């Protein structure tokens, strides 16, 4: 019985919203970030990069305080305005390939602690504390956690009912995305939405494990100071609307093996087919693509190994680690070993091929995407996926709706 609640969101004014919202900070290269800061004074990146105003690189608590100052300046200038009534926010995004609609709401840190919001990834305590301190100093969160739930027709109907009315905001951005927002302030409709979510047995974190953990830490630290600390902003989206892409892997060497020795070791667990220059992309789980020495290979897990797999062993990222990366290539820690790097779904196999051809890496592995059901099985079993097992969309813009503590 998860608890969600409406909140007074802070949003950009209609005339500036397309200029204010930004992609997540980590998605910008240095040159693009510099251009955004130079030419777009309304960008939310101005808030997240307060040192730009002083031409200084600022870190730590000093930066967090200046982020707070820039945020308050955006409110004072009228670029950002707090809504007058608490609301759930129905949000629709349409891009050139997909569309999705979800509900932006406050979700309970108690539900997170009590495992009504289930996790499938481990978090690092250092990152948890860093972001907790950031939230505390800045006083707001501008990037919701992505939560998913089993499709429920009653929730779909409520969303569809709201979408029959004109959106409060409707705008497009230069990445060819269309955005629509409907604030839900009607008390009866709010109560219906809350009641329907209480009928669910649990929610699942799709993306945002560190943000969830940090919000929980902050709630514990602040105690009963404010009710707002007991909730964190999330986008709730039905699992049928999630798009999960793979993370491919590239490794810098063969751990002292030559090509033939390496292939012979792979033969113990995989049927290997040399596909030459034919680009091979896995079409189902337990099939892998490999690019080595200018040629593509398909690797099919031998059928005898498919019996009685645990939920964790059923994951291709885990199989790759258990059968190749660890025992053959000697990679023990997927988080810290500098010999391995990852490229996510939007970087296709040609990107992997280019990195190997440039001799930045010796071998690349392409994977089949993890499914929603696999992700849920891991969370239900209270297990954790290997790092970089999923690249999940949608990715919400920063600054679209802001949750204040």
């Amino acid at each position: 019985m998860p608890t969600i609640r409406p909140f007074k969101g802070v949003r950009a004014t209609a005339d500036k919203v397309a200029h204010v919202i930004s992609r997540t900070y980590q998605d910008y290269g240095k040159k693009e970030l510099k251009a955004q800061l130079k030419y777009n004074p309304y960008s939310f990146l101005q808030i997240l990069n307060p040192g730009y105003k002083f031409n200084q690189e600022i870190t730590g608590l000093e930066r967090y305080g200046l982020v707070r100052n820039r945020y308050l300046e955006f409110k004072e200038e009228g670029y950002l305005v707090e809504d007058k009534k608490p609301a759930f926010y129905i949000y629709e995004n349409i891009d050139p390939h997909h569309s999705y609609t979800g509900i932006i709401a406050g979700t309970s840190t108690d539900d997170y602690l009590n495992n009504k919001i289930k996790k499938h990834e481990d978090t690092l305590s250092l990152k948890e504390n860093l972001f907790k301190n950031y939230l505390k100093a800045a006083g707001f969160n501008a990037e919701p956690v992505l939560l998913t739930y089993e499709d429920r027709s009653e929730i779909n109907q409520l969303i569809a009912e709201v979408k029959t009315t004109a959106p409060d905001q409707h705008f497009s951005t230069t990445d060819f995305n269309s955005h629509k927002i409907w604030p839900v302030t009607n008390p009866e409709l709010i109560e219906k939405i809350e009641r329907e979510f209480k009928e669910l047995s649990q929610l699942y974190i799709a993306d945002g494990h560190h943000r969830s953990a940090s919000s929980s830490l902050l709630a514990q630290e602040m105690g009963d100071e404010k009710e707002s600390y007991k909730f964190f902003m999330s986008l709730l989206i039905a699992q049928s609307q999630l798009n999960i892409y793979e993370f491919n892997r590239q490794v810098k060497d063969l751990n002292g093996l030559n090509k033939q020795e390496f292939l012979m070791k792979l033969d113990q667990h995989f049927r290997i087919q040399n596909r030459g220059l034919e680009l091979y992309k896995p079409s189902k789980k337990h099939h892998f693509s490999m690019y080595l020495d200018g040629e593509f290979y398909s690797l099919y897990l031998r059928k005898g190994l498919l019996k009685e797999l645990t939920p964790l062993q059923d994951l291709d990222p885990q199989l790759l680690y258990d059968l190749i990366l660890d025992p053959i290539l000697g990679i023990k820690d997927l988080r810290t070993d500098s010999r391995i790097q990852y490229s996510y779904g939007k970087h296709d196999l040609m990107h992997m091929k280019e990195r190997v051809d440039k001799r930045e890496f010796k071998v690349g592995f392409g994977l089949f995407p993890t499914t929603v059901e696999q992700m849920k099985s891991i969370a239900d079993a209270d297990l954790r996926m290997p790092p970089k097992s999923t690249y999940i969309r949608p990715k919400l813009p920063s600054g679209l709706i802001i949750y204040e503590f």
Side-chain angles (χ1 to χ4, degrees):
M1 297 176 61
T3 299
I4 66 171
R5 77 164 206 175
F7 64 98
K8 291 183 181 179
V10 176
R11 295 186 286 156
T13 55
D15 63 321
K16 294 183 176 64
V17 60
H19 302 294
V20 169
I21 66 170
S22 67
R23 304 196 305 273
T24 186
Y25 177 72
Q26 291 81 5
D27 202 31
Y28 289 88
K30 288 185 178 180
K31 290 184 178 179
E32 187 181 9
L33 177 61
K34 186 176 180 179
Q36 285 287 327
L37 293 170
K38 183 175 181 179
Y39 297 111
N40 184 0
Y42 304 120
S43 173
F44 198 76
L45 295 169
Q46 302 284 355
I47 295 174
L48 299 179
N49 294 266
Y52 179 77
K53 182 176 181 179
F54 306 104
N55 196 28
Q56 292 288 324
E57 187 77 26
I58 303 171
T59 60
L61 291 176
E62 183 181 16
R63 173 178 172 264
Y64 302 161
L66 290 175
V67 166
R68 176 70 178 170
N69 292 345
R70 295 291 85 74
Y71 173 69
L72 293 176
E73 287 171 8
F74 266 51
K75 291 186 72 175
E76 290 163 4
E77 293 293 336
Y79 307 159
L80 298 174
V81 178
E82 182 178 72
D83 286 333
K84 294 179 180 179
K85 295 180 180 180
F88 289 128
Y89 297 89
I90 308 300
Y91 171 60
E92 179 185 68
N93 178 286
I94 302 173
D95 68 27
H97 306 289
H98 305 286
S99 68
Y100 62 84
T101 304
I103 300 175
I104 296 176
T107 45
S108 169
T109 56
D110 284 342
D111 286 348
Y112 175 85
L113 290 172
N114 295 330
N115 210 33
K116 292 179 185 176
I117 297 176
K118 292 181 174 286
K119 309 93 177 165
H120 66 263
E121 288 183 4
D122 278 326
T123 53
L124 301 174
S125 57
L126 177 63
K127 289 183 68 173
E128 288 179 16
N129 280 286
L130 281 173
F131 194 63
K132 182 261 294 181
N133 292 335
Y134 167 79
L135 292 174
K136 184 178 179 180
F140 69 86
N141 185 11
E143 205 167 298
V145 172
L146 182 63
L147 298 180
T148 192
Y149 56 90
E150 189 170 349
D151 286 56
R152 184 170 173 81
S153 60
E154 293 84 355
I155 296 176
N156 293 340
Q157 289 169 7
L158 289 170
I159 292 174
E161 178 185 334
V162 173
K163 289 176 65 176
T164 61
T165 64
D168 180 67
Q169 289 184 326
H170 181 193
F171 60 96
S172 297
T173 43
T174 55
D175 55 1
F176 301 103
N177 276 237
S178 172
H179 309 262
K180 296 179 183 179
I181 298 174
W182 292 262
V184 177
T185 57
N186 180 287
E188 291 184 8
L189 190 50
I190 285 175
E191 185 180 350
K192 286 181 182 179
I193 293 172
E194 290 174 334
R195 186 168 61 245
E196 289 303 329
F197 274 91
K198 283 187 178 293
E199 292 297 317
L200 298 169
S201 54
Q202 64 268 314
L203 302 169
Y204 294 86
I205 299 176
D207 190 24
H209 284 78
H210 280 95
R211 279 169 278 155
S212 306
S214 300
S215 297
S216 176
L217 282 178
L218 182 61
Q220 294 172 69
E221 181 175 311
M222 302 308 292
D224 295 327
E225 180 173 322
K226 274 186 182 180
E227 184 72 11
S228 56
Y229 285 113
K230 298 180 181 180
F231 293 82
F232 58 97
M233 183 171 61
S234 298
L235 170 66
L236 301 142
I237 186 170
Q239 66 182 46
S240 62
Q241 296 197 58
L242 281 183
N243 291 298
I244 303 182
Y245 301 90
E246 70 280 6
F247 266 100
N248 297 323
R249 276 89 164 118
Q250 295 93 47
V251 181
K252 291 186 176 180
D253 59 68
L254 298 183
N255 196 30
L257 301 172
N258 63 39
K259 178 180 175 180
Q260 293 306 317
E261 292 169 337
F262 177 59
L263 291 173
M264 289 174 63
K265 287 185 177 293
L266 292 181
D267 190 71
Q268 296 176 34
H269 297 112
F270 297 93
R271 289 190 295 115
I272 305 171
Q273 181 179 351
N274 186 330
R275 294 176 177 264
L277 296 178
E278 174 196 351
L279 189 148
Y280 171 70
K281 185 176 178 65
S283 58
K284 61 182 180 179
K285 69 178 183 179
H286 308 332
H287 287 192
F288 299 86
S289 172
M290 183 175 72
Y291 186 68
L292 172 67
D293 198 23
E295 296 178 307
F296 280 97
Y297 295 80
S298 56
L299 308 179
Y300 298 162
L301 186 67
R302 294 192 180 280
K303 291 183 178 180
L305 299 173
L306 294 174
K307 299 175 181 177
E308 299 180 0
L309 293 177
T310 67
L312 189 57
Q313 292 169 334
D314 189 53
L315 289 176
D316 283 351
Q318 186 68 41
L319 278 174
L320 188 72
Y321 175 77
D322 288 342
L323 300 180
I324 300 177
L325 298 179
D326 179 11
I328 300 177
L329 295 178
I331 294 173
K332 303 296 182 185
D333 192 331
L334 294 172
R335 294 182 184 277
T336 61
D337 197 315
S338 61
R339 295 169 56 225
I340 186 169
Q341 288 190 22
Y342 307 87
S343 55
Y344 54 86
K346 77 175 185 180
H347 298 307
D348 60 18
L349 291 178
M350 288 304 296
H351 176 79
M352 182 178 80
K353 176 182 182 299
E354 289 171 4
R355 300 186 83 185
V356 175
D357 286 343
K358 291 178 181 178
R359 300 189 178 182
E360 297 173 17
F361 297 91
K362 181 66 176 178
V363 61
F365 298 97
L367 283 69
F368 187 73
T370 299
T371 66
V372 173
E373 291 305 325
Q374 285 179 305
M375 182 185 76
K376 290 171 61 179
S377 294
I378 292 293
D380 289 339
D382 202 25
L383 298 171
R384 298 295 180 263
M385 289 184 178
K388 306 297 185 183
S389 291
T390 57
Y391 180 78
I392 297 178
R393 296 188 70 89
K395 299 286 186 187
L396 254 72
S398 292
L400 180 74
I401 296 174
I402 300 166
Y403 179 91
E404 282 193 353
F405 297 106

